[in-house]
């Protein structure tokens, strides 16, 4: 009798539990509130992180958007602070400049007078005249005041048509104060400026690769080239190039053979673009307007690399260089034939040892072209 009485009650309890399990959200309005709260907090946190990232990118940490530039300008400020009375010589150019101008080598041999030029390597990997102009304008915007500005002249980067246009090598590194250059030299400035705004709307996603390269060894294991432009920068802005010994002709031959097809394409149909000419002139005018003296320099090339220039390209480059130097009255340090082939890793980039020997002579040439004291602004 006891079992008979409890069985209905047990069945009733099971039914109540089943109803509770099958109860719809509408009958239990408090259940969905928790997911909504969680999603709200996640959204707020994502928004806060993006706002913080946006502020950091455009204010205290410029290396987050453009690590190569940011690290150089930080090192530059430190060297100026250590040598406040020496005339600063800002050297701008391409990867050839980055790897070729080693100011520490000049520091080791300079006379030691207060007027010795304070060389600093402010190059940009992949730069031509338009990116040189961007770097120069940024430097002044960030408070740098050089006594002398030296601009690299190199014919291969003066081509701006199609895939050779410099704007393809800038990417998401542009700052809002780069906009005047974008409008003057980019083929579709409206699209580029829209992409700049879009990148700032989601700065974490837009800059993820650079930040991973800065922070994650695991990422670098997958992408060894992500931080090449800045990972070995020394305190003077020099980026050590290929470590090819002077007696290692076999390795130099491998590099030359590797680069020959690239420059054959570069020189096929090569012409100095009007925008390259304008950018060089604009950089000279801008630096002079700020009170700096300006010069051009032409870095070493091996005889074999020089032989790759078609006669028409060589002739046009010589005429253009001579013309712009004459019209602007700009001093020139023409180092094209300064070093032997065994000091060039690939015919156009100085090796690590070659950079040291070259820069010791380069510093003396800068001193001669821009004598001190008294004539510096």
């Amino acid at each position: 009798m006891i079992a008979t009485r409890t069985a209905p009650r047990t069945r009733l309890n099971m039914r109540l539990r089943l109803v509770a399990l099958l109860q719809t959200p509408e009958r239990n309005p408090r259940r969905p509130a928790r997911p909504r709260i969680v999603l709200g907090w996640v959204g707020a946190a994502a928004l806060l992180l993006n706002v913080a990232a946006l502020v950091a990118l455009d204010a205290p940490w410029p290396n987050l958007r453009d690590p190569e530039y940011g690290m150089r300008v930080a090192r530059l400020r430190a060297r100026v602070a250590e040598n406040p009375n020496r005339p600063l010589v800002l050297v701008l150019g391409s990867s050839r400049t980055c790897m070729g101008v080693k100011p520490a080598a000049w520091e080791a041999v300079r006379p030691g007078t207060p007027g010795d030029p304070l060389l600093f390597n402010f190059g940009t990997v992949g730069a031509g005249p338009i990116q040189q102009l961007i770097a120069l304008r940024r430097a002044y915007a960030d408070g740098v005041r050089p006594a002398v500005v030296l601009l690299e002249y190199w014919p291969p980067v003066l081509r701006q048509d199609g895939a050779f246009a410099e704007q393809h090598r800038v990417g998401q590194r542009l700052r809002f104060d780069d906009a005047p250059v974008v409008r003057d030299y980019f083929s579709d400035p409206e699209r580029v400026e829209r992409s700049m705004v879009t990148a700032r709307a989601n700065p974490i996603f837009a800059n993820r690769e650079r930040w991973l390269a800065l922070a994650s060894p695991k990422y670098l294991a997958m992408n060894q080239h992500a931080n090449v432009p800045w990972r070995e920068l020394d305190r003077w802005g020099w980026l050590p190039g290929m470590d090819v010994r002077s007696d290692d002709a076999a390795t130099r031959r491998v590099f030359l053979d590797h680069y020959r097809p690239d420059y054959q394409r570069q020189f096929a149909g090569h012409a100095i673009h009007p925008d390259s000419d304008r950018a060089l002139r604009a950089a000279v005018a801008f630096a002079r307007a700020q009170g700096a003296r300006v010069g051009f320099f032409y870095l070493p090339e091996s005889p074999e690399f020089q032989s790759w220039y078609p006669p028409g390209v060589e002739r046009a480059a010589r005429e253009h260089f001579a013309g712009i130097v004459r019209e602007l009255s700009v001093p020139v340090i023409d180092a094209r034939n300064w070093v032997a082939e065994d000091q060039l890793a690939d015919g156009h980039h100085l090796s690590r040892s070659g950079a040291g020997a070259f820069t010791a002579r380069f510093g003396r040439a800068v001193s001669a072209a821009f004598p001190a004291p008294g004539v510096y602004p």
Side-chain angles (χ1 to χ4, degrees):
M1 290 295 293
I2 294 174
T4 303
R5 290 176 181 173
T6 58
R9 185 178 300 170
T10 301
R11 288 196 293 272
L12 177 61
N13 290 338
M14 291 177 64
R15 288 173 184 170
L16 290 173
R17 290 175 184 172
L18 182 61
V19 169
L21 288 172
L22 296 176
Q23 199 171 35
T24 62
E26 289 77 8
R27 294 186 179 181
N28 191 359
R30 291 187 300 173
R31 294 176 68 92
R34 185 172 297 171
R36 284 200 296 267
I37 292 172
V38 171
L39 288 173
W41 278 109
V42 169
L47 179 61
L48 183 62
L49 284 172
N50 271 284
V51 170
L54 179 59
V55 172
L57 283 167
D58 285 326
W61 300 311
N63 60 311
L64 291 179
R65 183 179 305 285
D66 189 346
E68 182 182 8
Y69 173 82
M71 292 184 181
R72 284 185 190 279
V73 79
R75 286 159 172 75
L76 170 58
R77 287 170 174 154
R79 300 295 76 73
V80 170
E82 292 171 355
N83 304 272
N85 299 318
R86 289 173 57 192
L88 173 63
V89 178
L90 205 60
V91 186
L92 296 101
S94 66
S95 61
R96 290 177 7 104
T97 296
C98 295
M99 299 176 188
V101 178
K102 184 181 180 181
W106 164 241
E107 292 296 307
V109 301
R110 69 182 179 87
T113 68
D116 290 345
L118 180 66
L119 299 182
F120 190 87
N121 189 326
F122 212 63
T124 304
V125 173
I130 295 174
Q131 290 181 82
Q132 287 188 61
L133 178 59
I134 288 174
L136 179 63
R137 291 173 57 93
R138 285 184 182 182
Y140 276 100
D142 291 337
V144 178
R145 293 296 179 266
V148 174
V149 171
L150 293 179
L151 303 167
E152 180 186 358
Y153 185 94
W154 196 45
V157 296
L158 301 183
R159 185 173 184 176
Q160 300 289 348
D161 57 302
F164 299 103
E166 280 187 79
Q167 67 182 74
H168 302 313
R169 302 194 290 274
V170 178
Q172 297 292 339
R173 297 181 297 164
L174 291 167
R175 307 186 334 187
F176 276 137
D177 55 359
D178 299 329
V181 177
V182 170
R183 295 184 192 121
D184 284 347
Y185 295 95
F186 285 28
S187 60
D188 190 354
E190 291 80 8
R191 182 190 63 78
V192 175
E193 291 190 76
R194 285 196 301 270
S195 72
M196 291 166 65
V197 173
T198 301
R200 281 156 176 77
N202 191 356
I204 294 176
F205 180 81
N207 296 279
R208 63 194 184 281
E209 290 192 1
R210 282 183 291 281
W211 292 0
L212 283 169
L214 285 167
S216 173
K218 182 178 179 181
Y219 175 76
L220 290 177
M222 296 182 290
N223 187 351
Q224 293 295 321
H225 301 289
N227 66 350
V228 165
W230 71 81
R231 69 184 177 202
E232 293 188 74
L233 276 181
D234 77 354
R235 61 199 299 269
W236 296 94
W238 177 57
L239 180 66
M242 292 160 279
D243 194 12
V244 180
R245 300 190 318 272
S246 59
D247 61 349
D248 190 356
T251 299
R252 290 197 302 277
R253 172 51 51 193
V254 169
F255 284 135
L256 279 164
D257 291 343
H258 170 77
Y259 280 112
R260 183 183 290 105
D262 292 339
Y263 283 96
Q264 286 175 338
R265 287 190 293 271
Q266 186 90 358
F267 289 134
H270 182 282
I272 296 172
H273 198 279
D275 285 347
S276 294
D277 179 79
R278 281 200 305 124
L280 286 170
R281 295 172 185 272
V284 172
F286 182 83
R288 284 176 169 169
Q290 311 304 316
R293 303 184 73 194
V294 188
F296 288 142
F297 65 98
Y298 198 135
L299 287 167
E301 296 171 336
S302 72
E304 180 168 348
F305 187 91
Q306 292 183 39
S307 74
W308 296 351
Y309 286 78
V313 173
E314 174 74 23
R315 182 172 56 256
R318 285 181 179 274
E319 291 174 355
H320 176 258
F321 192 30
I324 196 170
V325 166
R326 181 178 59 255
E327 291 171 32
L328 300 178
S329 299
V330 177
V332 174
I333 300 174
D334 188 352
R336 192 181 190 190
N337 297 301
W338 274 15
V339 305
E341 189 158 358
D342 60 5
Q343 297 296 300
L344 291 153
D346 55 7
H348 61 298
H349 288 98
L350 284 153
S351 66
R352 297 189 181 194
S353 61
F358 164 78
T359 308
R361 182 176 174 182
F362 185 72
R364 292 191 294 271
V366 172
S367 295
F370 302 94
V375 296
Y376 287 98

